[in-house]
Amino acid sequence: MSNIIEQMIDHAHKALPSAYAPYSKFKVASCICTDQNNLYTGVNVENGSYGLTTCAEQSAICNMILEGEQRIKSIVVMSENNLLCPPCGACRQRIHEFSTPETIVHLCNATSVLQSLTIDELLPLAFDFNP
Ligand code: THU
């Protein structure tokens, strides 16, 4: 496993306890590595009005955007139960927005990569807004 993936897993794992998931009890963390090799982490933030929940990938993307970056080279997603946590459909589209054909999504547990896929494998024929 490359050093950068180890770091991303470490960042996500350290962030997991901060996830706010009192309703589902399903904590999720994500860590983005940009084309500049900077890391941005996020966790899910639930709401009593369930539909207002923010996914972990979404909050990692917001943190990346806040720092002026827009290109995801790879992204780690993990949940507390250590099982595969594939991004939801909405987050696949959110990741696609800031991806290239080379962007890799690593589905991880606390210590290792369980499965790696391109965003195109996760979201074939993605919607692109080209006015
Ligand atoms: N969740 C994420 O954070 N990312 C995903 O891609 C799938 C779902 C969160 C949202 C909610 O807080 C919890 O997992 C259960 O759906």
Side-chain angles (χ1 to χ4, degrees), residues 14-85:
K14 287 202 167 98
L16 258 185
S18 305
Y20 178 73
Y23 306 106
S24 71
K25 316 266 189 241
F26 191 79
K27 292 189 171 190
V28 183
S30 178
C31 183
I32 289 169
C33 178
T34 64
D35 57 354
Q36 307 295 311
N37 288 324
N38 292 316
L39 303 186
Y40 298 98
T41 306
V43 293
N44 55 335
V45 183
E46 296 187 346
N47 192 281
S49 176
Y50 297 168
L52 300 182
T53 290
T54 303
C55 284
E57 301 89 321
Q58 189 177 3
S59 60
I61 288 171
C62 289
N63 290 333
M64 172 188 76
I65 293 297
L66 181 64
E67 295 303 319
E69 294 205 56
Q70 297 188 348
R71 201 51 68 215
I72 300 173
K73 191 158 79 175
S74 59
I75 176 168
V76 156
V77 185
M78 73 169 63
S79 67
E80 225 180 11
N81 67 8
N82 267 331
L83 302 175
L84 213 64
C85 182

Side-chain angles (χ1 to χ4, degrees), residues 92-109:
R92 293 176 196 208
Q93 183 69 36
R94 290 187 180 107
I95 294 165
H96 168 78
E97 179 77 19
F98 303 105
S99 291
T100 68
E102 285 75 45
T103 296
I104 306 283
V105 181
H106 300 292
L107 309 178
C108 300
N109 64 17

